Amino acid sequence: MATEDLIILQKTYDMINYGYQAIAQFPKSEKYALGTDMKKCMHQILEYTIVAHKKYYKKTTLQELDVEVTKLKAYTRLAKDLGFLPFKKYEVWSKYNVEIGKMVGGWIKSAKQ
């Protein structure tokens, strides 16, 4: 499982890198409101990924990671619907989020065994 952990860590890093660039283009008022919430979410995803990788008992951490990924998906969609995030950027960011979500789901399944 170690190599998959490294893949999810890299995907998370790439998603955060892209997310920061997208948030930088938000209107000033939203950079410090919705943008801050989204950044916190991304940081939590990175943190939970690292913690889950290092812990022996992963179940709770993986569930928290799954919640954060779901929250970020909702925030990203909200940013698009409010017009702060162009559709193309939403599409790219969503692909990252969905891919990470699938990896987390697989990780949860393998941790249950």
Side-chain angles (χ1 to χ4, degrees), residues 33-101:
L34 182 59
T36 300
D37 291 339
M38 294 173 87
K39 286 178 183 178
K40 282 181 189 172
C41 226
M42 291 189 296
H43 295 159
Q44 282 297 121
I45 291 169
L46 181 62
E47 187 177 313
Y48 286 138
T49 302
I50 292 167
V51 171
H53 176 62
K54 296 291 183 182
K55 274 187 169 182
Y56 181 76
Y57 295 106
K58 304 174 186 309
K59 186 180 175 189
T60 313
T61 308
L62 288 173
Q63 288 171 335
E64 291 168 345
L65 175 57
D66 193 38
V67 168
E68 289 299 322
V69 171
T70 304
K71 280 171 46 179
L72 185 59
K73 285 178 185 177
Y75 283 142
T76 308
R77 185 171 173 210
L78 181 63
K80 179 204 45 115
D81 290 346
L82 292 172
F84 308 140
L85 190 61
F87 185 77
K88 184 66 185 159
K89 283 192 176 7
Y90 166 75
E91 216 173 26
V92 173
W93 202 350
S94 285
K95 282 181 185 172
Y96 280 120
N97 293 340
V98 167
E99 191 173 8
I100 291 167

Side-chain angles (χ1 to χ4, degrees), residues 3-54:
T3 54
E4 191 172 315
D5 296 344
L6 296 176
I7 293 169
I8 192 171
L9 198 55
Q10 185 60 51
K11 293 287 181 189
T12 302
Y13 180 84
D14 294 344
M15 180 269 299
I16 291 171
N17 198 359
Y18 188 84
Y20 263 79
Q21 293 171 26
I23 291 169
Q25 297 176 341
F26 279 19
K28 196 172 190 173
S29 61
E30 289 306 319
K31 273 185 202 174
Y32 305 105
L34 182 59
T36 300
D37 291 339
M38 294 173 87
K39 286 178 183 178
K40 282 181 189 172
C41 226
M42 291 189 296
H43 295 159
Q44 282 297 121
I45 291 169
L46 181 62
E47 187 177 313
Y48 286 138
T49 302
I50 292 167
V51 171
H53 176 62
K54 296 291 183 182

